[in-house]
Amino acid sequence: MSAEGAEPGPEPGPLCPEHGQALSWFCRSERRPVCAACAGLGGRCRGHRIRRAEERAEELRNKIVDQCERLQLQSAAITKYVADVLPGKNQRAVSMASAARELVIQRLSLVRSLCESEEQRLLEQVHGEEERAHQSILTQRVHWAEALQKLDTIRTSLVGMLTHLDDLQLIQKEQEIFERHRGHTDR
């Protein structure tokens, strides 16, 4: 506290709990502020590395200023990076994504085209097989119709022989009847 009319001085800071004196020194060994009695010959910090508290504070201020300058440089570098590099990276990312999209579209178009061609080829193949099957069925129908016609003709001929030949004529023509009609019925 200052008296009225006296020059204002610094407010007294914390005092040494052991000696009640101002903590105006700094013990570098214990890394803490100490009073003149602690730093003196009979004090607990005798033989330690001691310096004035204001010198230590100045050293700390200088370190903080240096750190602030480094942080400022880092901030400037980051700002420059964000302004100069990131837009280019963003543009490259957009361009690469666009190229990738175009490539996907081209490949899918090619795959679609190939699938359509293969579908057409397979459908034509199925249609061809269907036509061959129908043709085969028609051919078989004609064959079997002709076979039925021949069998009907043979049967009609045999019935005619049975009804028009007497016993003796039938016996005489036996070999001729069976040889003539055997070729048609063995098929």
Side-chain angles (χ1 to χ4, degrees), residues 13-23 32 34-38:
L15 300 177
C16 173
E18 191 176 332
H19 301 104
Q21 296 180 16
L23 299 173
R32 67 183 190 91
V34 293
C35 71
C38 289

Side-chain angles (χ1 to χ4, degrees), residues 108-136:
L108 286 177
S109 178
L110 176 62
V111 168
R112 188 177 302 113
S113 174
L114 291 173
C115 286
E116 287 170 358
S117 297
E118 184 64 7
E119 177 187 25
Q120 186 62 36
R121 186 188 70 76
L122 291 173
L123 287 174
E124 288 171 4
Q125 188 177 354
V126 167
H127 180 70
E129 290 297 320
E130 182 182 28
E131 285 296 316
R132 279 191 282 286
H134 282 306
Q135 192 61 43
S136 174

Side-chain angles (χ1 to χ4, degrees), residues 71-161:
L71 292 174
Q72 184 63 34
L73 288 174
Q74 286 178 340
S75 294
I78 290 170
T79 301
K80 180 172 175 42
Y81 179 82
V82 167
D84 296 347
V85 177
L86 286 185
K89 283 188 172 191
N90 187 49
Q91 185 57 40
R92 280 191 299 278
V94 167
S95 296
M96 288 174 65
S98 178
R101 261 192 296 280
E102 187 62 33
L103 184 61
V104 166
I105 290 168
Q106 286 175 358
R107 287 183 178 173
L108 286 177
S109 178
L110 176 62
V111 168
R112 188 177 302 113
S113 174
L114 291 173
C115 286
E116 287 170 358
S117 297
E118 184 64 7
E119 177 187 25
Q120 186 62 36
R121 186 188 70 76
L122 291 173
L123 287 174
E124 288 171 4
Q125 188 177 354
V126 167
H127 180 70
E129 290 297 320
E130 182 182 28
E131 285 296 316
R132 279 191 282 286
H134 282 306
Q135 192 61 43
S136 174
I137 291 168
L138 289 175
T139 302
Q140 289 180 34
R141 280 192 177 154
V142 168
H143 169 76
W144 291 117
E146 289 174 359
L148 284 173
Q149 181 63 39
K150 287 179 183 176
L151 290 175
D152 191 46
T153 302
I154 292 170
R155 189 181 54 76
T156 302
S157 170
L158 291 173
V159 168
M161 285 183 197

